[in-house]
Amino acid sequence: MSALFNFQSLLLVILLTICTCTYLRAQAPALIDRNKTGVMGLLWKSARIGERLSPYVAIACIVMAFQLVMY
């Protein structure tokens, strides 16, 4: 089933995008920072969310991991 139609998979894709963009921005800031508008701006926004809300993103990743293991 596609991640667009399954809510749990959609949340997983969003969390992975946030975590990946945050990691990429830490490793290569110029790669993410040059695209602040348009479709690629979503990656910059995801990196910002990951930086500013990192404790909440980490908790959400842990909860999602337990849920995937249990179900």
Side-chain angles (χ1 to χ4, degrees):
M1 186 183 300
S2 175
L4 295 175
F5 300 117
N6 187 351
F7 187 67
Q8 181 179 0
S9 297
L10 179 65
L11 286 178
L12 182 64
V13 168
I14 291 171
L15 279 173
L16 289 175
T17 302
I18 290 171
C19 293
T20 303
C21 290
T22 305
Y23 176 78
L24 284 176
R25 188 169 188 283
Q27 297 299 318
L31 185 67
I32 299 292
D33 287 343
R34 67 179 172 196
N35 300 318
K36 292 184 180 179
T37 60
V39 177
M40 296 299 286
L42 291 175
L43 300 178
W44 179 76
K45 290 176 186 177
S46 296
R48 280 291 177 201
I49 290 170
E51 289 173 350
R52 293 182 180 176
L53 300 175
S54 60
Y56 300 112
V57 171
I59 290 170
C61 287
I62 291 169
V63 168
M64 185 62 80
F66 281 124
Q67 186 175 5
L68 287 174
V69 169
M70 295 300 180
Y71 297 107

